[in-house]
Amino acid sequence: MSSNQDISKLVDGITSDPATWTNTSLISVTQLTPSGLDLLMNTSTQMRNLVKDQGGDDRLKHRVLASVFYEASTRTSCSFQTAMMRLGGSVIHVDCGSGGNTSSKKGETVSDTIKCLQCYSDVTVLRHPITGTVPDAVLNGGLQKPVINAGDGVGEHPTQALLDLFTIVDELGSGMDNGNDIEPLTVVMVGDLKHGRTVHSLAKLLARAQFGFLKRPLVLRYCAPDSLKMPNYVKAYVDEFGKRQGFEIIQEECGSIKDAMKNANVLYVTRVQKERFEKEQDYNAVKGAYVIDADLMKEAPEKMIVMHPLPRVDEISTDVDSDPRAAYFREMENGLYVRMAILALVLGKA
Ligand code: NCD
C-alpha cells in the first residue's frame, strides 16, 4: 500500500473525491475542503444509521488499527477502537503514557514505534503530549501508512473538531435549512483557550466551514482568564481565512459568560488543562474561573446548546446534565459515527 503522506496534503488536500481520503493521514483541519466536509458529514450520518439499524458491518474485516496513545484518553481512544470494531476490523491498543510498558521506555523514538506497528496494521491513531510530534512523525518519519492525529500537544485535535462540527449541524441545522436564513452562527468558547487543542482546531474548522459548508456568517466569542486566552496565531488564521474568502469573521473577547451568551447558538466549554501548567500555583490561580450551572442556564438563549469535549472537572455543574440544551453526551456519541466515517474513508471502504 502506498501512502498519500506528502506535505501538500496538509492544506486543502481532502475533497469529496474518495481517492483524496484513501491512505491519507489526517493531521490538521486545514486539510479539509468544504466538499470534503460534505462527504465526511454525509458518511457520518450513514454510519449512525448503520449502527442504529444493525450495529455495524464487516467492511473493515481483516483490517487492523494501531491505537497509540502517549497521553491519557478515554473517549478518543475508545471511540476509535469501537469504530474499528463496529466495521468488522480489529485493534491493537498501545498505551505509551509515561512510556507505559512499551519500548518508548527503552528510548525508542515515536517514528520507530509507529513504523514497527505499521508492519502489523493498516492505520494508526496517534496522540502525543508534545506539540508537533504527530505531524513530524507523518511528514518526516518515513511512514508508509496513514496516521490520524488524536491530539497533538496544545496544537490540534482534528477529529474532535470534526465531531463537534457534525454535532453543531445535527443539533442546529446548517443555517439554510429554513429558507434564506442568514443569521450568523455564534459560538462562544469558554475556559482554557490557550492550551485547549480542541478549540484551536474548532475555531479553524468553523472558519473554513463558514460559507462553504455551514452557509452562514460566523461570530466567535472567546471567554477566558487573561493567562489562558485564545492564541493570536489561531485568531490570525481565522481572520485571514475569512478575508481570503471575502468575508469578515467576527472574533470578540468577552469577560463575562452572561454577556457572551447573548444570541449565542453554541456555548463550547473546556477544562482548564492542569497537566499543561508548569507551576501548580498558576493552575490554582485560574481553576474554577468559569462555571456553568443550572442558574446560569436560566439566562441562556432557549435554543443555545452546551458542548464540551470532556472530560469535565468542575466547569459544568452536573445540574446542567438534564437540561435538553446540554449536548455534550450526544456530542460524544457522535464521535463514534464520525470516527467510523474517517476510518472507512481513509481505508478506502466508505
Ligand atoms: C480533549 C483532549 O484530549 O484534548 N479530550 C478529548 O479528546 N475528548 C479535551 C481535554 O482533555 O480537556
Side-chain angles (χ1 to χ4, degrees):
M1 182 165 36
S2 66
S3 89
N4 274 338
Q5 294 164 38
D6 76 79
I7 197 158
S8 63
K9 295 280 172 197
L10 286 190
V11 181
D12 293 335
I14 298 180
T15 69
S16 57
D17 176 358
T20 61
W21 288 84
T22 308
N23 282 332
T24 297
S25 291
L26 179 56
I27 299 304
S28 166
V29 292
T30 60
Q31 291 169 268
L32 286 138
T33 61
S35 81
L37 288 174
D38 266 330
L39 178 63
L40 179 65
M41 298 300 149
N42 291 337
T43 311
S44 303
T45 303
Q46 286 163 17
M47 292 300 177
R48 170 157 68 191
N49 294 338
L50 177 72
V51 171
K52 302 242 184 252
D53 290 350
Q54 57 188 68
D57 65 20
D58 274 339
R59 76 184 73 190
L60 297 183
K61 196 172 171 194
H62 301 311
R63 300 302 190 97
V64 177
L65 162 70
S67 155
V68 189
F69 282 73
Y70 287 81
E71 196 192 272
S73 172
T74 302
R75 274 146 291 272
T76 307
S77 73
C78 293
S79 62
F80 263 118
Q81 292 182 59
T82 311
M84 194 66 186
M85 294 189 277
R86 285 201 181 270
L87 293 173
S90 309
V91 181
I92 41 173
H93 178 68
V94 189
D95 183 355
C96 300
S98 314
N101 211 14
T102 68
S103 294
S104 80
K105 241 186 184 167
K106 302 179 183 174
E108 186 170 54
T109 64
V110 174
S111 297
D112 274 2
T113 299
I114 303 301
K115 221 182 265 179
C116 162
L117 291 167
Q118 289 197 341
C119 297
Y120 316 138
S121 60
D122 303 290
V123 57
T124 305
V125 167
L126 175 62
R127 169 174 287 189
H128 201 281
I130 299 174
T131 313
T133 304
V134 179
D136 184 56
V138 170
L139 297 172
N140 307 314
L143 305 177
Q144 294 301 311
K145 292 178 183 169
V147 173
I148 298 169
N149 179 359
D152 177 55
V154 299
E156 279 225 34
H157 193 349
T159 66
Q160 178 69 44
L162 290 165
L163 75 89
D164 290 337
L165 181 63
F166 180 85
T167 303
I168 290 170
V169 175
D170 193 50
E171 298 270 334
L172 304 174
S174 70
M176 294 293 271
D177 289 358
N178 308 319
N180 285 330
D181 176 9
I182 49 157
E183 283 289 296
L185 174 72
T186 300
V187 178
V188 181
M189 298 183 178
V190 183
D192 188 348
L193 307 185
K194 177 182 177 193
H195 301 115
R197 55 194 172 202
T198 67
V199 280
H200 301 166
S201 284
L202 185 59
K204 287 159 126 183
L205 183 64
L206 286 170
R208 295 181 67 81
Q210 170 180 235
F211 272 98
F213 177 76
L214 288 168
K215 301 180 181 63
R216 58 197 292 194
L218 180 63
V219 177
L220 294 177
R221 288 190 191 136
Y222 305 125
C223 221
D226 281 346
S227 59
L228 300 179
K229 293 219 174 294
M230 182 64 96
N232 285 334
Y233 79 89
V234 177
K235 291 200 290 187
Y237 180 93
V238 169
D239 205 36
E240 279 159 28
F241 194 87
K243 286 196 181 121
R244 241 188 297 147
Q245 305 298 305
F247 300 106
E248 191 191 356
I249 297 173
I250 296 170
Q251 299 187 86
E252 299 167 339
E253 304 276 351
C254 279
S256 119
I257 299 190
K258 276 187 198 164
D259 291 344
M261 284 192 317
K262 278 185 197 130
N263 307 318
N265 305 101
V266 178
L267 183 68
Y268 191 97
V269 188
T270 64
R271 169 179 74 91
V272 179
Q273 311 235 318
K274 187 175 184 187
E275 70 278 22
R276 315 259 183 229
F277 285 76
E278 276 172 25
K279 294 190 205 133
E280 180 138 7
Q281 76 218 48
D282 292 345
Y283 169 72
N284 288 334
V286 286
K287 72 170 186 195
Y290 292 103
V291 176
I292 317 301
D293 59 16
D295 275 347
L296 185 74
M297 288 302 289
K298 286 185 193 140
E299 304 192 35
E302 203 189 324
K303 292 196 172 148
M304 182 198 80
I305 56 167
V306 183
M307 296 176 65
H308 191 307
L310 302 179
R312 69 174 149 189
V313 182
D314 53 9
E315 59 281 356
I316 301 182
S317 152
T318 50
D319 63 11
V320 179
D321 294 1
S322 55
D323 188 314
R325 294 168 292 181
Y328 30 95
F329 291 110
R330 299 192 289 275
E331 180 186 352
M332 285 311 94
E333 182 182 327
N334 291 337
L336 172 65
Y337 312 131
V338 173
R339 288 173 174 136
M340 287 171 78
I342 291 170
L343 288 172
L345 284 160
V346 168
L347 292 171
K349 297 280 181 190

